[in-house]
Amino acid sequence: MSRTNTAPARPPAATGGGANRWIVLVVLCVSLLVVALDATILHVAIPSLTEDLRPSSTALLWIVDAYPLICASLLILFGTLGDRVGRRRILLLGYALFGVASAVAALATEPSVLIGARVLLGVGGAMIMPATLSILRAVFPDRRERATAIGVWTAVAAIGAATGPVLGGFLVEHYWWGSVFLINIPLMALILPLGRRLLPESRGTADGPWDVVGALMAAAGVLGCVLGVKRAGAGDPILALPTAGPLLLGAALLVLFVRRQKRRTHPLIDMRLFSRAAFTTSVGCIVLAMLALVGLQLIAVQYLQLVLGLSPLETGLRLLPLTFAAMAAGATGSYTLRRIGPRRMVGWGFVLTAAAVLLLTFMGQHDRPLLLTVGFVLLGFGLQTTLFSAYESMLSEAPQRSAGAAASIGETSYQLGAGMGTALLGSVMNAAYAPGLAAVPGVPEEASRAAANSLGEAYQVAGQLGGAAGGALHQAARHAFVDGLHITLFVSAGLLLLGAVMARRLPRVMECPVDVEEAVDAMSAEHVEPDGPQGSDAHHGAGEPHGADARDGAGEPRGPHEPGAACGPVRQPRPTEAAERSGLAEPSEPRVPATREAIEPAGSGRPAH
């Protein structure tokens, strides 16, 4: 039976082709590198910035937190907007805004101006981050190549986050605090014309109006939750109004947002995605991985600087093995995923990270460089393995038309996990640290209470006391911090092992399914009745939620001749090959449905299908 390549009435989706998709990946990775750097590069500039601008404690808090708060709250808004108006368009606007905001931040002379610039940087970051991941999903339709691309993407994110403090320390030491923002400008001036020329435009479904009210509800809900979690992580009582108020309001808005999306004919986010075990589990694994990492990283930095007495630059260099291990995990992730599948990769990644955390419990009062290096290498490799496979599984479970929404969900879960990790592990650390300073001989009660706030403050109080009492407080604070660190590491290991149990809900093998929904839409538009083995499968998929799982009713992977066959190291026949044998498709037909149009990057020289 012959088929006609008549395109249905739906927006075109970009697909990758040729070597240009790897050039697109380079552009997207540079975009991500700039955003990841900006999330951590400011931390080492805080002392110099404080001395120059003299901000109040509240203003300083907003200078640090405005960027991640605004970025996290707007990810869903801009991710879903990109699906409607074009992901490339949103990304290019994000580049321009990020460059302008960086210039304003670098030249700020008042705290209020710097806070405003950090807010604009957060808006630009929210436009860039989901767009990079959703364009990557569009230009790499083949799951095996997409896995390689996501491995590179996640490795670049790790590089940016880890090198931010090192680069920031170098710039502040040799120039001034504004230089940590100024470096963004030449990068954006380079990447904006490159992106305009090389990046393909892609969009998802444009059916129905964009839900502006729903987008604002999601933004306000995420902002409230992240703000409440950050206040809890800063030590504010969880039941206090400044902490509980934003948390409760944010949670209520998110519940209303979900109910609104379920009722709408054309929702921002198709909530049926969360009915799929692999998608929901992947999102949960991202949250748990970040929850265990971020709070642990902050505590580790304090240990290296305040207990071992390392400088900020030496601390950054000590953390480099973690970065190199993460790069190695990203580079080998695609091969590993094909060999062992998502379930084992995420599960064993969590187990390896938990083992690294438990190994770090042998840290004590004195420097043990070999132990720290081995622990950081295992930690970086295990955690990056987990994050890579979770992101890859999440994106592959979502149809291409919902790539922006899926990417924004993944990035939002990343940000929420980071905030929750700071709050939870910080609270555990404080609860374990404070009792050790309750009854230090010769130290007044008021001084003990002040020292219990943090190790840095304990050192200041000890210096003010001087003498035997100051020395006793200094020693007691070091011991209490190390003891609290050990307890926090055990809690973190427990969370990671919980993630390993959760990973059992992921698919056992890496599958390369046909997008069932798009195939059915294509046949409907062509008025072709499905028949034969492939047609019966597509007809069955029409009654499933969109993006239905490519497994049989028992939850096992389908056979090698069915859509959804495993992408293992042994080559399995593609779905179209079975159709070619039965005469349903011409041999030259692509694996993806023929009705999908390809929008190639400028200068590719390849016509649309």
Side-chain angles (χ1 to χ4, degrees), residues 23 48 53-54 75-76 103 167 177 279 362 428 443 518:
I23 299 175
S48 177
L53 298 185
R54 302 291 181 184
L75 287 168
I76 291 177
L167 179 59
W177 63 264
F279 184 88
F362 290 97
V428 171
V443 177
E518 292 192 2

Side-chain angles (χ1 to χ4, degrees), residues 340-348 503-508 551:
I340 67 176
R343 181 187 300 176
R344 289 176 180 167
M345 188 167 180
V346 174
W348 284 110
R504 293 181 60 84
R505 300 184 69 219
L506 290 171
R508 188 164 13 208
R551 283 175 280 173

Side-chain angles (χ1 to χ4, degrees), residues 102-149:
S102 297
V104 175
L107 302 176
T109 57
E110 295 290 336
S112 58
V113 175
L114 184 54
I115 292 172
R118 291 281 286 171
V119 168
L120 290 179
L121 282 169
V123 176
M127 299 173 81
I128 293 171
M129 292 182 72
T132 60
L133 202 52
S134 54
I135 291 176
L136 186 151
R137 169 68 173 85
V139 299
F140 289 95
D142 182 84
R143 184 170 183 181
R144 286 161 290 196
E145 287 190 343
R146 185 167 66 245
T148 302

Side-chain angles (χ1 to χ4, degrees), residues 76 90 119 130 140 191 228 237 255 280 303 339 415 417 419 421 424 451 471 517 523 550 562 603:
I76 291 177
I90 294 295
V119 168
F140 289 95
I191 203 172
V255 170
T280 306
Y303 171 79
R339 296 289 298 179
Q415 297 289 344
L424 177 61
E517 183 190 43
M523 286 188 290
E562 299 176 70

Side-chain angles (χ1 to χ4, degrees), residues 45-431:
I46 291 299
S48 177
L49 182 154
T50 303
E51 183 179 351
D52 190 10
L53 298 185
R54 302 291 181 184
S56 65
S57 58
T58 303
L60 183 61
L61 184 65
W62 278 106
I63 288 172
V64 175
D65 288 342
Y67 175 81
L69 280 175
I70 298 301
C71 185
S73 62
L74 296 179
L75 287 168
I76 291 177
L77 188 153
F78 285 118
T80 56
L81 182 61
D83 285 343
R84 295 301 183 95
V85 305
R87 296 149 187 159
R88 173 178 171 271
R89 180 179 300 175
I90 294 295
L91 183 60
L92 294 180
L93 288 174
Y95 289 162
L97 182 59
F98 208 85
V100 171
S102 297
V104 175
L107 302 176
T109 57
E110 295 290 336
S112 58
V113 175
L114 184 54
I115 292 172
R118 291 281 286 171
V119 168
L120 290 179
L121 282 169
V123 176
M127 299 173 81
I128 293 171
M129 292 182 72
T132 60
L133 202 52
S134 54
I135 291 176
L136 186 151
R137 169 68 173 85
V139 299
F140 289 95
D142 182 84
R143 184 170 183 181
R144 286 161 290 196
E145 287 190 343
R146 185 167 66 245
T148 302
I150 293 176
V152 175
W153 186 88
T154 54
V156 167
I159 292 170
T163 57
V166 179
L167 179 59
F170 173 82
L171 291 172
V172 171
E173 185 175 344
H174 290 83
Y175 302 100
W176 93 109
W177 63 264
S179 61
V180 302
F181 298 110
L182 210 58
I183 62 167
N184 294 335
I185 298 175
L187 290 174
M188 287 300 161
L190 173 67
I191 203 172
L192 183 58
L194 281 178
R196 188 170 182 272
R197 176 176 177 81
L198 297 174
L199 294 178
E201 184 59 283
S202 69
R203 51 176 60 89
T205 178
D207 298 334
W210 186 56
D211 184 10
V212 179
V213 175
L216 294 176
M217 288 174 62
V222 173
L223 178 62
C225 289
V226 175
L227 181 59
V229 165
K230 279 188 170 291
R231 285 188 176 276
D236 293 352
I238 190 68
L239 298 179
L241 183 61
T243 304
L247 271 175
L248 294 176
L249 180 60
L253 285 172
L254 289 179
V255 170
L256 292 175
F257 170 75
V258 171
R259 295 181 62 181
R260 179 182 177 87
Q261 297 309 297
K262 288 181 177 180
R263 291 196 305 266
R264 290 183 64 85
T265 306
H266 304 291
L268 285 175
I269 295 176
D270 192 340
M271 291 299 162
R272 290 178 295 179
L273 285 173
F274 289 96
S275 67
R276 305 193 64 189
F279 184 88
T280 306
T281 302
S282 298
V283 171
C285 287
I286 293 171
V287 172
L288 266 181
M290 291 310 301
L291 193 152
L293 171 71
V294 172
L296 185 64
Q297 187 178 22
L298 292 174
I299 296 168
V301 168
Q302 293 182 58
Y303 171 79
L304 293 173
Q305 291 188 2
L306 298 179
V307 176
L308 300 186
L310 302 181
S311 69
L313 182 59
E314 289 172 331
T315 299
L317 293 175
R318 282 293 186 95
L319 293 172
L320 281 182
L322 188 151
T323 304
F324 293 143
M327 292 169 58
T332 59
S334 176
Y335 174 80
T336 308
L337 185 63
R338 291 197 302 269
R339 296 289 298 179
I340 67 176
R343 181 187 300 176
R344 289 176 180 167
M345 188 167 180
V346 174
W348 284 110
F350 271 123
V351 170
L352 180 60
T353 310
V357 169
L358 292 175
L359 178 64
L360 292 176
T361 59
F362 290 97
M363 294 186 302
Q365 302 287 329
H366 304 288
D367 192 4
R368 304 179 68 180
L370 181 61
L371 172 68
L372 290 176
T373 300
V374 173
F376 286 155
V377 166
L378 295 178
L379 183 65
F381 193 89
L383 194 73
Q384 189 67 16
T385 296
T386 300
L387 286 173
F388 160 78
S389 188
Y391 265 111
E392 197 283 332
S393 298
M394 180 198 71
L395 276 185
S396 297
E397 289 295 314
Q400 193 274 331
R401 66 173 63 184
S402 300
S408 63
I409 291 170
E411 293 298 331
T412 302
S413 63
Y414 184 101
Q415 297 289 344
L416 283 174
M420 291 167 61
T422 304
L424 177 61
L425 296 185
S427 299
V428 171
M429 182 68 193
N430 290 337

